[in-house]
Amino acid sequence: MTAKVSLCMIVKNEERSLRHCLDSVKNKVNEIIIVDTGSTDATKEVAKEYNAIIKEYAWNDDFSAARNYSISFASNEYILIMDADEVLDQELDIKKEIARDLDYYILHIKNYDSDGHTSNHQAIRLFKNNIGLQYGGSIHEHLQINFTHSKDTINGYIHHFGYLNEVVKYKKKEKRNKDLLIKEVKLNPSGYNYYNLGKQLKIESNYPEALKNFQKAFNKSKGKTYLSNLVYHLADCLRHLRRFNEALHVLKDATAVYPEHTDLFYLQGLIYLDLKYYSEAIHAFQHCLKLGDSKESNSISGTGGYLSCYALSMVYKQVGDRVKSFEFAYQSLKEQKSNFKSCLF
């Protein structure tokens, strides 16, 4: 007998995106559970179109509590977690994956921003029901697992559009997230919480405060899976603060530890470009192309491809080699047309 899947979501004022999300999963799940935390728009009406089970929940600034409430209503063998600003890749065959009967599955999340860039991370979004798995953390909630659980990483993607400027502005995410993260750090000053607060402050361009939080996180994050991404953000804050020598020192140590993390070499190239060290910049970006995009769970799409090509076109323009500048600009454009920034000539 084929196992069934319950989709569990928490939502608030998602009428603009919910239909797109549910269209992507309606033929892949057997049950849709929507926990609404206080919508004042047509969110619940949209959910009813998909025969969703709708539950009300009084928002208490705790994403884990809301997640755990949502999964408590799941009646099927597996649970899929998604947000309304996400879309499931149509190539992903959920039923085929759960036929392997593992406890949980790690999915790739592709994040889109308004500059045309994408970044990737991984998260547990598909897991067995009724084996005691629960969420922890009031924000950036995570499923609490242990080494006894069987697992695998799925090649399929969830596409996340929540970082688009219009979505952030509409949902007032920045203030909400920062307030919750400050509260979470006070309650639990872990490396992970300092890391997430640092990322939020960096989004707001508050680089001095972001740097302080990344430094605190670094001292508490030995061996953590997010450490290479933390170091990237720490060095990038130093770059924005024009503390270039410190940033390069951090990256020299980091690339020795993570020699295949392309993002770190790409950031080195950007700093060399800032300093007008053009030969060093060329070497760094060419090394990125040799590595290809990073396979780290938290990485930027294109550092091993079109982004480095575009950067090389800028470098060669600065040194007066218009032929190579055009060649790399064309290569960047060909690889990712939507990310080509501007005409060079």
Side-chain angles (χ1 to χ4, degrees):
M1 184 177 177
T2 304
K4 295 181 178 180
V5 182
S6 298
L7 171 66
C8 295
M9 304 177 65
I10 56 176
V11 302
K12 181 181 179 181
N13 292 336
E14 300 285 4
E15 66 175 357
R16 301 200 304 181
S17 57
L18 183 58
R19 189 175 283 106
H20 195 198
C21 173
L22 295 181
D23 278 341
S24 74
V25 298
K26 63 183 180 181
N27 297 320
K28 296 176 180 287
V29 301
N30 305 94
E31 175 181 62
I32 298 173
I33 296 165
I34 302 287
V35 168
D36 189 90
T37 63
S39 293
T40 56
D41 64 2
T43 295
K44 285 181 279 190
E45 285 68 25
V46 172
K48 289 175 183 177
E49 295 175 17
Y50 295 84
N51 298 315
I53 299 168
I54 302 171
K55 300 293 182 179
E56 306 283 348
Y57 184 81
W59 179 244
N60 60 350
D61 290 340
D62 190 329
F63 280 93
S64 285
R67 291 279 184 217
N68 292 332
Y69 184 71
S70 72
I71 66 179
S72 71
F73 296 101
S75 64
N76 292 315
E77 294 92 339
Y78 276 89
I79 292 170
L80 173 67
I81 298 293
M82 289 184 65
D83 290 327
D85 53 16
E86 295 176 333
V87 172
L88 191 68
D89 196 307
Q90 291 306 292
E91 299 299 317
L92 179 56
D93 188 341
I94 293 177
K95 298 296 177 68
K96 180 181 178 181
E97 296 294 343
I98 62 176
R100 295 188 285 158
D101 196 37
L102 301 179
D103 291 334
Y104 68 85
Y105 299 84
I106 301 167
L107 275 72
H108 299 279
I109 316 296
K110 185 177 288 289
N111 306 290
Y112 299 81
D113 69 24
S114 293
D115 292 328
H117 294 151
T118 59
S119 61
N120 304 307
H121 73 279
Q122 296 176 345
I124 302 167
R125 292 297 193 89
L126 181 63
F127 56 91
K128 269 187 179 177
N129 193 9
N130 298 319
I131 62 170
L133 294 178
Q134 293 275 287
Y135 280 90
S138 64
I139 185 170
H140 295 293
E141 68 280 9
H142 54 279
L143 204 62
Q144 297 174 315
I145 56 174
N146 60 55
F147 67 92
T148 65
H149 292 121
S150 57
K151 61 181 172 63
D152 195 12
T153 301
I154 300 175
N155 287 328
Y157 278 90
I158 289 177
H159 303 274
H160 175 228
F161 302 96
Y163 294 139
L164 297 176
N165 290 340
E166 61 268 28
V167 178
V168 172
K169 183 177 180 180
Y170 173 70
K171 297 173 72 171
K172 301 178 181 178
K173 277 187 172 185
E174 289 187 356
K175 185 179 187 308
R176 178 202 69 187
N177 288 355
K178 185 170 73 173
D179 290 347
L180 288 176
L181 285 165
I182 289 171
K183 180 180 177 181
E184 187 74 4
V185 162
K186 288 180 179 177
L187 291 172
N188 179 19
S190 67
Y192 185 66
N193 286 334
Y194 277 121
Y195 163 66
N196 283 315
L197 179 55
K199 287 198 296 181
Q200 183 59 47
L201 290 164
K202 186 167 177 265
I203 288 171
E204 300 173 12
S205 300
N206 188 346
Y207 300 113
E209 290 302 313
L211 177 61
K212 290 177 184 177
N213 281 276
F214 288 135
Q215 289 169 330
K216 291 176 181 177
F218 182 82
N219 293 329
K220 295 172 175 281
S221 300
K222 184 178 180 180
K224 299 297 185 181
T225 58
Y226 58 82
L227 184 56
S228 61
N229 188 250
L230 189 164
V231 173
Y232 171 88
H233 285 297
L234 191 157
D236 197 32
C237 281
L238 290 169
R239 176 196 169 218
H240 281 285
L241 293 169
R242 303 192 67 78
R243 293 162 60 175
F244 298 130
N245 289 334
E246 293 173 73
L248 288 172
H249 180 75
V250 169
L251 290 169
K252 180 181 178 181
D253 291 341
T255 53
V257 178
Y258 303 104
E260 297 183 354
H261 195 342
T262 314
D263 298 7
L264 299 173
F265 292 97
Y266 177 73
L267 184 56
Q268 273 186 332
L270 293 180
I271 294 170
Y272 288 136
L273 185 54
D274 288 334
L275 291 168
K276 296 182 172 55
Y277 296 171
Y278 296 128
S279 62
E280 290 87 350
I282 289 170
H283 177 77
F285 293 130
Q286 286 180 335
H287 187 65
C288 291
L289 295 178
K290 181 180 178 181
L291 288 174
D293 276 0
S294 176
K295 293 180 174 58
E296 292 282 331
S297 60
N298 292 283
S299 60
I300 303 168
S301 297
T303 56
Y306 71 89
L307 288 175
S308 285
C309 286
Y310 179 75
L312 281 165
S313 75
M314 294 177 64
V315 178
Y316 281 115
K317 182 184 178 184
Q318 290 297 318
V319 300
D321 192 333
R322 294 170 66 87
V323 174
K324 283 190 176 180
S325 178
F326 177 81
E327 288 174 351
F328 278 108
Y330 176 73
Q331 189 174 336
S332 176
L333 176 60
K334 183 172 67 173
E335 190 173 322
Q336 184 63 274
K337 290 182 180 180
S338 64
N339 287 279
F340 192 65
K341 297 299 181 184
S342 62
C343 182
L344 296 174
F345 305 101

